[in-house]
Amino acid sequence: MRRCRPAFRHISPADAGNRELVLQYQKISSHSWKGHAPGPMGLDWANQPHPWRYYPGTAKLSLTPPAAAAPGTGLAYEKLFAPAGVVPAQALDAESISNFLYHSMALSACKQHGQNRWYLRRS
């Protein structure tokens, strides 16, 4: 594969004070009307991100999966678009946050092909 721009080493945080180096890196690594910025030239399968997001230094809050609702007790789809006040408000607590996150951002499936494995998120 042919590169349109010269290769450039990645700069480190220590290089941030070197204005010329930063501007040179920005010029070489930016998209332009002539083409896309140079990429890594392949996928880094050995260093995939962790499937669960976490932030060092923050407290972890264990959320329980929502209990299965009895038939007929859940919120009907058409009520999602009802005017305010039709659907009663829910308390903002660990249970309601767990329910919201479970139904909006949970992992929905795990795919595998050969040795490679990846997760699909709901969104």
Side-chain angles (χ1 to χ4, degrees), residues 9-120:
R9 71 176 178 87
H10 288 285
I11 62 173
S12 70
D15 296 324
N18 185 338
R19 180 177 162 75
E20 291 304 314
L21 185 64
V22 171
L23 291 175
Q24 183 183 6
Y25 177 80
Q26 191 276 335
K27 182 178 179 181
I28 291 172
S29 64
S30 297
H31 295 299
S32 75
W33 63 273
K34 294 179 182 178
H36 295 289
M41 308 309 285
L43 297 176
D44 186 6
W45 291 104
N47 294 308
Q48 291 295 303
H50 196 277
W52 306 100
R53 289 192 177 163
Y54 64 94
Y55 300 92
T58 58
K60 291 183 181 178
L61 174 64
S62 295
L63 298 174
T64 57
T73 61
L75 181 63
Y77 178 76
E78 57 273 2
K79 286 192 177 179
L80 292 173
F81 305 100
V86 173
V87 178
Q90 300 292 311
L92 186 60
D93 56 15
E95 183 181 355
S96 65
I97 292 172
S98 177
N99 194 19
F100 170 75
L101 293 174
Y102 179 83
H103 287 98
S104 62
M105 294 185 261
L107 298 179
S108 61
C110 177
K111 299 285 188 172
Q112 184 168 351
H113 179 72
Q115 297 293 324
N116 297 318
R117 214 172 143 187
W118 64 96
Y119 296 88
L120 302 177

